[in-house]
Amino acid sequence: MTAYLFKRLAIALATLIVASVVVFAVLEVLPGDPARIMLGMNASPEALESLREQMGMNQPLITRYLNWISGMAIGDFGRSYTYSSPVIELIAERITVSLPLAIMSLLLSTIIAIPVGIFAASRRGKLADTISMGAAQVGVAVPNFWFALLLIYIFAVALRLVPAGGFPGWGDWWQALKALILPAVALALPQAAILARVTRSAMLDVLGEDYIRTAHAKGMPRHIVLWRHALRNAMIPVLTVLGLQFAFLLAGTIIIENVFYLPGLGRLVFQAITQRDLIVVEGVVMLLVASVVAVNLIVDLLYAVVDPRLRAR
Amino acid sequence: MTMPASSQPDDFRHFLHQALRSGSFMTGLIITLLIAAMAALSFIWTPYDVTNLVVANRMQGLSAAHPFGTDHLGRDILSMIMVGSRNSIAVAIVAVGIGMGIGVPLGCWAAARGGWLDEVLMRFNDVVFAFPALLSAIMITAIFGPGAVNAIIAIGIFNVPVFARVARAGALALWPREFILAARAAGKGKALITIEHILPNIASILLVQGTIQFALGILAEAGLSYLGLGAQPPMPSWGRMLFDAQTRMMIAPNQAIFPGLAIVITVLGLNLLGDGLRDILDPRLRRER
């Protein structure tokens, strides 16, 4: 178990370091001079030069990389050129939109998908299985931003139940939840479709095992066999997909946040990219990469919890 | 996995037999062929010229002259969907080509060579997987300039580790098999064995993965062009049409519904095709028969 844990940790750390080098290298060698973008096309060469000096852009690449990475380790992500405020403050502000949104859609998709997957598996080949898997097949094919447009048309424009976009802040939590519900549903649908398919096939694998037949044979009620014996053993692939989906949701909100004009991380990074506010882009991308790595690590550790055979290693 | 080369005609007949009985394969194949035919037709004929703006005809609803209506510049929505399909298909196909062209040799190399090279290549794969694909694609297109070519590269890069992983897993399972050992005993080198024996035997799983990545590529391209980072106007693209339609959703929902349906149907067709192919080609299912 310790060896397993140690190896996972080492891989996660190595991934982070290589990723940080890639992010830094790609964004630093880019065309487009941030100093010129900040000061405009008519800036004097002297002003440009002093701003470059002030931003630390005249130091060697290695020094800049080390400064950047050691700053991030202690929570100093640098200052945004366009917002002229610390990147960490921008992130902290925007994450109060993106994180609840990601959690809401993950909850929604889990609540829908896992029962549907189990139900379909338990009725394999019957009408209920065909219908729910057909629906899942369509759900996978729907682009979430198109689904979002349809939701806006139905629930915001025609029925006027919820706002079509924007975010009022968490001061009035009811209004805030109402603003997040459509984006959460839009994000959850394709995720739920994938998760339902994975749950079904994982359950089918497990339901063919001898111990399930034994449980049935000894007269255990059908729902207990399904929920206690089968689901627990089908959890590994389901957990993997859930982990991947959470990581995707944190970053994948980028288009949905643009559809609904939500001031989240996705919109922050999208605007920062178009304005060449590289330090913001670097900070947010690294944060997202770190969360992907962290989620994968947690999933790896959860495997050990779910599957005792891994613990023995 | 396909059988050794001598039984290939039988293999093909077996495949055909299974294919005709697979509902999802046939449905997927028919949808995919129809979409491909629509794209091909758009080169020689569309109901209207999509570059010709007839402002007098703008914002029309559904009619016999314009089955899906017209947009804010008077362009026929059906014609735009037809021309837009070219863009979606071209971007997704080339992106899959990039992924296969780089990923498959890398994966085969890692499997054949093993040891530290395998470890390094697979860890590098992990790094690419740690980047949220869509975000990185947005970064690449936004930074190197929006357009179809950069969209292809951005989507293609993320196909590389997918194909590398699939090819490696397939090749690793083959290397200990007797017919590979026989080839090695006959003195063939690893590169030759990979080309002559490994590649033909992993072709089917690569084909299935290719179909899936093709569908994902269409979705990714739509997302990028929705954000204005894909094909640039006047070249119509499905994602861009959705963006244009968004602000007029309340007066003209048809402008958003039809391009979206085009995406859904195309992706659905490809996914059904991929699922059907997998069911037919899956070695586990085949052994049971």
Side-chain angles (χ1 to χ4, degrees), chain B residues 4 7 20 29 31 44 48 51 61 63 74 103 111 116 160 162 169 176 191-192 209-210 217 226 251:
Chain B
S7 68
L20 288 171
L29 186 69
I31 294 177
I44 47 172
Y48 295 86
T51 54
S63 67
W116 65 267
V160 173
V162 174
L192 194 61
Q209 195 63 46
Y226 173 82
I251 42 174

Side-chain angles (χ1 to χ4, degrees), chain A:
Chain A
M1 179 68 190
T2 340
Y4 174 77
L5 195 109
F6 191 74
K7 186 174 182 210
R8 292 287 120 196
L9 261 175
I11 289 176
L13 206 65
T15 309
L16 266 185
I17 292 172
V18 177
S20 74
V21 173
V22 173
V23 168
F24 187 80
V26 169
L27 291 176
E28 289 296 319
V29 297
L30 280 184
D33 176 356
R36 181 167 288 282
I37 288 164
M38 279 176 78
L39 294 178
M41 282 304 148
N42 301 325
S44 70
E46 295 78 26
L48 276 176
E49 192 48 39
S50 73
L51 184 65
R52 281 202 195 104
E53 188 64 47
Q54 191 195 326
M55 286 160 63
M57 287 177 60
N58 290 338
Q59 289 165 327
L61 265 180
I62 302 286
T63 321
R64 270 155 57 201
Y65 172 74
L66 290 176
N67 283 343
W68 174 64
I69 194 101
S70 58
M72 266 198 301
I74 56 166
D76 174 14
F77 283 55
R79 273 182 91 78
S80 155
Y81 315 138
T82 47
Y83 296 88
S84 49
S85 62
V87 175
I88 191 78
E89 278 178 20
L90 291 171
I91 291 177
E93 189 188 313
R94 302 305 187 96
I95 211 161
T96 62
V97 178
S98 292
L99 194 61
L101 180 58
I103 293 173
M104 271 170 83
S105 41
L106 196 69
L107 279 179
L108 263 173
S109 85
T110 313
I111 291 170
I112 301 166
I114 290 187
V116 169
I118 294 173
F119 180 71
S122 72
R123 302 268 190 291
R124 180 183 197 178
K126 303 226 175 81
L127 187 65
D129 181 24
T130 314
I131 291 177
S132 47
M133 285 307 109
Q137 189 69 267
V138 175
V140 175
V142 172
N144 58 20
F145 58 96
W146 180 64
F147 187 52
L149 292 181
L150 297 184
L151 287 175
I152 292 176
Y153 183 68
I154 298 168
F155 294 101
V157 177
L159 300 175
R160 299 186 178 278
L161 288 175
V162 283
F167 186 72
W170 284 103
D172 182 348
W173 64 270
W174 176 240
Q175 290 303 326
L177 276 183
K178 269 172 83 176
L180 289 184
I181 189 70
L182 286 192
V185 172
L187 279 168
L189 172 91
Q191 307 281 322
I194 296 169
L195 195 60
R197 290 171 51 129
V198 172
T199 307
R200 176 182 176 272
S201 67
M203 285 294 281
L204 284 180
D205 281 346
V206 174
L207 287 176
E209 299 281 345
D210 289 340
Y211 57 83
I212 297 291
R213 206 175 324 137
T214 310
H216 279 302
K218 74 181 183 187
M220 185 177 261
R222 190 188 165 88
H223 66 274
I224 296 189
V225 176
L226 273 182
W227 288 89
R228 195 179 293 163
H229 288 275
L231 183 60
R232 189 182 166 112
N233 285 290
M235 272 318 270
I236 284 207
V238 175
L239 273 179
T240 311
V241 173
L242 267 179
L244 286 175
Q245 293 197 332
F246 185 69
F248 167 85
L249 281 171
L250 269 183
T253 55
I254 190 163
I255 295 184
I256 287 294
E257 283 177 8
N258 271 292
V259 176
F260 288 95
Y261 301 101
L262 293 176
L265 277 182
R267 235 173 117 71
L268 174 70
V269 76
F270 183 62
Q271 284 167 345
I273 290 170
T274 47
Q275 290 160 338
R276 292 284 190 277
D277 196 349
L278 297 186
I279 194 97
V280 174
V281 181
E282 287 169 350
V284 178
V285 171
M286 275 318 291
L287 185 82
L288 292 173
V289 170
S291 55
V292 173
V293 170
V295 168
N296 286 343
L297 188 64
I298 292 169
V299 169
D300 278 343
L301 299 184
L302 281 180
Y303 286 167
V305 175
V306 178
D307 188 346
R309 281 169 298 184
L310 278 175
R311 254 177 278 167
R313 267 193 222 161

Side-chain angles (χ1 to χ4, degrees), chain B residues 197-281:
Chain B
H197 299 289
I198 304 277
L199 275 181
N201 281 293
I202 61 173
S204 58
I205 50 171
L206 292 176
L207 187 65
V208 171
Q209 195 63 46
T211 320
I212 296 167
Q213 296 308 118
F214 192 167
L216 288 175
I218 297 228
L219 282 175
E221 194 281 332
L224 286 180
S225 45
Y226 173 82
L227 290 175
L229 300 171
Q232 295 300 297
M235 176 72 185
S237 69
W238 292 345
R240 185 83 203 175
M241 289 173 76
L242 287 179
F243 175 78
D244 287 338
Q246 185 179 354
T247 48
R248 287 177 292 278
M249 194 73 191
M250 46 208 91
I251 42 174
N254 58 307
Q255 294 180 15
I257 287 171
F258 292 107
L261 277 180
I263 300 173
V264 174
I265 292 170
T266 309
V267 174
L268 183 64
L270 286 166
N271 282 339
L272 286 173
L273 187 65
D275 276 12
L277 266 180
R278 189 194 336 243
D279 289 347
I280 297 167
L281 300 171

Side-chain angles (χ1 to χ4, degrees), chain B residues 50-215:
Chain B
V50 292
T51 54
N52 190 14
L53 313 180
V54 186
V55 181
N57 286 342
R58 56 195 279 273
M59 304 296 284
Q60 286 189 8
L62 317 189
S63 67
H66 300 280
F68 297 166
T70 61
D71 75 350
H72 60 298
L73 299 172
R75 291 175 292 184
D76 179 53
I77 302 272
L78 174 62
S79 306
M80 288 183 74
I81 288 178
M82 288 176 69
V83 178
S85 68
R86 284 187 223 163
N87 177 58
S88 288
I89 293 172
V91 169
I93 280 192
V94 182
V96 168
I98 292 175
M100 277 196 180
I102 303 174
V104 173
L106 278 181
C108 288
W109 191 30
R113 176 76 169 65
W116 65 267
L117 179 89
D118 184 26
E119 190 70 19
V120 168
L121 281 176
M122 288 306 115
R123 289 290 82 79
F124 197 75
N125 255 0
D126 287 348
V127 173
V128 182
F129 274 122
F131 282 88
L134 185 64
L135 173 65
S136 314
I138 288 168
M139 230 160 68
I140 292 169
T141 42
I143 285 162
F144 295 101
V149 174
N150 286 339
I152 289 171
I153 295 171
I155 299 168
I157 288 176
F158 288 90
N159 281 336
V160 173
V162 174
F163 284 104
R165 197 168 271 199
V166 171
R168 173 180 173 272
L172 274 183
L174 287 172
W175 275 103
R177 296 265 298 264
E178 287 87 355
F179 70 101
I180 301 284
L181 283 176
R184 297 186 69 174
K188 285 187 183 170
K190 284 185 168 175
L192 194 61
I193 293 179
T194 299
I195 293 167
E196 283 186 356
H197 299 289
I198 304 277
L199 275 181
N201 281 293
I202 61 173
S204 58
I205 50 171
L206 292 176
L207 187 65
V208 171
Q209 195 63 46
T211 320
I212 296 167
Q213 296 308 118
F214 192 167

